[in-house]
Amino acid sequence: MNILVAGGAGYIGSHTCVALLEAGHTVIVADNLCNSRTKALERVKQITNNEITFYQIDVTDEVAVNTVFGNHSIDGVIHFAGFKAVGESVSQPLAYYYNNVVSTMVLSKACQKYKVNRFIFSSSATVYGENTVPFVETMKLLPTSNPYGETKAMSERILTDIAKVNSDWLVALLRYFNPVGAHESGLIGEAPTGIPNNLMPYITQVAKGKLAKLRIFGSDYPTVDGTGVRDYIHVMDLAEGHVAALDKLTKGVHIYNLGTGHGISVLQLVRAFKEANGLDLPYELTDRRPGDISECYADVTKAERELGWTAKRDLVDMCRDAWRFEKNYEG
Ligand code: NAD
Ligand code: WQD
């Protein structure tokens, strides 16, 4: 299939381009490079020995998006393009609502116009808010404490309503848990600008000596060791989940959790990272981070059953691959 990957130069998008190309799909990337560089796409080509057509456009720009749809016979869209920093979404709500929601509307409008009926959307476990773990797709969504989460819930709603009047649409709302790691080549990975907000890139930067020590946010949660629990998933497993969704999707709107189904604490992740890479990692226990929940992990039975997809890589793979990328990364 010819797949338009919006936000394909980014962290999850670039890994998904690898998985798509390796599965024999053709990839067209639309990205404005606001949080990525074309180097990632060069690396994807190097890994797969394949070509990618690239458009440097903003996917909230309807004219530019229509040009891409007019130039190619597109079979499906995967929409990764969006802002993702939870804290920033609190201080810049308008930018988040605009970018994340308008991009969904412009891309789906083009799909309607050009009769493209496959749409895969990058949602987030954040939409579950303070539900009880494990999170199941049928749960009622709870308000999140930040505009970022609301943009994901709104986009899900918009796509669901559009699909109701387009009975031939096949829509997947993929709720990602905590993607970490990198392609095993070490050529592409997560390269946040500035000080990382997320745990794994913070850990790899401490290991590299770019940051002095990890601060573990909270040691009094009602968890196995008092630190927060998350469902970390290798980014290549996540990428392969998109290929499975493309292959197996049926008509209608389908929601899938993409996680491993296992909760791992911050201290367990730190220990795994040290052991996998034979490195020391200085850390201190500090106060909880505002807005954090205690535990977040998925029930993954629906994706296993309907997509035939399951995460294959373990915590050691995640830690080793994340470090291999960081070690070689030159900024
Ligand atoms: P990323 O920032 O690395 O990738 C997003 C890409 O979209 C970047 O290349 C950026 O330049 C591009 N982009 C943003 N706005 C755009 C626009 N208006 N037009 C064109 N390009 C635009 O982020 P990521 O981690 O790869 O996340 C991809 C998607 O998955 C996002 O929608 C994010 O909200 C969602 N998600 C991410 C995580 C995570 O922890 N990384 C978890 C759940 C959901
Ligand atoms: C993981 C754990 C922290 C940094 C966020 C978004 C979510 C999704 C994924 C996009 C928590 C602890 C972290 C640090 C720490 N993104 N931590 N020290 O918060 O689960 O999810 O990213 O959709 O929407 O909210 O991920 O990696 O920030 O934190 O102790 O320096 O690590 O408290 O327990 P989070 P995270």
Side-chain angles (χ1 to χ4, degrees):
M1 286 188 259
N2 291 333
I3 306 301
L4 175 63
V5 185
Y11 173 46
I12 306 170
S14 57
H15 290 80
T16 303
C17 288
V18 170
L20 288 167
L21 291 165
E22 285 179 344
H25 297 290
T26 300
V27 169
I28 301 130
V29 167
D31 198 305
N32 64 1
L33 303 179
C34 68
N35 196 34
S36 54
R37 296 187 298 180
T38 49
K39 196 170 173 183
L41 294 177
E42 295 306 321
R43 297 280 180 88
V44 172
K45 292 187 205 169
Q46 192 184 332
I47 292 167
T48 60
N49 200 20
N50 257 297
E51 282 310 307
I52 291 177
T53 307
F54 174 58
Y55 289 88
Q56 185 174 347
I57 60 159
D58 192 308
V59 296
T60 63
D61 176 345
E62 198 174 339
V63 174
V65 166
N66 282 342
T67 303
V68 178
F69 276 74
N71 287 349
H72 301 271
S73 169
I74 293 169
D75 299 301
V77 172
I78 308 184
H79 176 20
F80 293 107
F83 296 150
K84 64 167 179 176
V86 172
E88 191 180 65
S89 79
V90 176
S91 57
Q92 298 177 35
L94 184 54
Y96 271 70
Y97 283 112
Y98 190 85
N99 199 43
N100 292 7
V101 179
V102 174
S103 59
T104 303
M105 293 198 288
V106 168
L107 287 167
S108 49
K109 191 173 174 192
C111 283
Q112 208 169 241
K113 181 171 176 184
Y114 290 89
K115 309 230 173 309
V116 175
N117 62 359
R118 277 188 185 75
F119 200 110
I120 297 186
F121 177 65
S122 297
S123 190
S124 168
T126 263
V127 298
Y128 290 110
E130 298 204 17
N131 269 294
T132 309
V133 286
F135 296 151
V136 188
E137 290 89 343
T138 47
M139 281 175 164
K140 190 172 165 17
L141 301 189
L142 295 180
T144 62
S145 55
N146 58 80
Y148 169 74
E150 297 306 318
T151 68
K152 293 296 172 188
M154 280 182 188
S155 289
E156 287 197 4
R157 185 59 201 260
I158 289 168
L159 289 165
T160 303
D161 287 342
I162 298 173
K164 278 185 197 153
V165 291
N166 290 275
S167 57
D168 61 334
W169 273 37
L170 304 84
V171 177
L173 308 175
L174 303 182
R175 294 180 181 158
Y176 312 154
F177 281 68
N178 287 57
V180 295
H183 187 264
E184 61 173 15
S185 63
L187 289 171
I188 53 171
E190 188 172 14
T193 46
I195 296 176
N197 295 309
N198 296 115
L199 181 59
M200 186 63 100
Y202 205 104
I203 287 178
T204 57
Q205 293 197 15
V206 171
K208 203 172 186 180
K210 274 166 114 178
L211 296 167
K213 64 176 148 182
L214 173 69
R215 284 177 308 142
I216 295 182
F217 300 138
S219 52
D220 58 349
Y221 286 109
T223 60
V224 59
D225 55 24
T227 63
V229 163
R230 299 291 183 271
D231 186 342
Y232 298 96
I233 174 169
H234 194 293
V235 66
M236 282 309 299
D237 278 325
L238 189 65
E240 288 162 8
H242 293 73
V243 178
L246 263 186
D247 288 348
K248 296 279 168 58
L249 258 194
T250 53
K251 284 180 188 171
V253 178
H254 306 277
I255 304 173
Y256 295 106
N257 286 339
L258 296 185
T260 64
H262 303 295
I264 300 292
S265 77
V266 178
L267 278 172
Q268 285 170 335
L269 185 66
V270 167
R271 209 171 300 125
F273 186 88
K274 291 204 286 195
E275 283 172 16
N277 298 309
L279 290 164
D280 193 26
L281 200 84
Y283 68 81
E284 64 178 337
L285 301 173
T286 66
D287 288 346
R288 292 181 180 194
R289 182 172 64 179
D292 272 359
I293 54 173
S294 165
E295 292 186 284
C296 172
Y297 55 88
D299 179 314
V300 288
T301 46
K302 189 178 176 201
E304 282 173 13
R305 189 178 63 242
E306 294 186 9
L307 302 179
W309 169 90
T310 184
K312 296 190 204 82
R313 296 157 180 91
D314 64 16
L315 204 53
V316 173
D317 297 322
M318 298 181 211
C319 293
R320 196 196 48 217
D321 293 342
W323 174 235
R324 187 186 294 115
F325 174 72
E326 181 67 53
K327 209 172 38 181
N328 298 331
Y329 185 67
E330 282 158 6

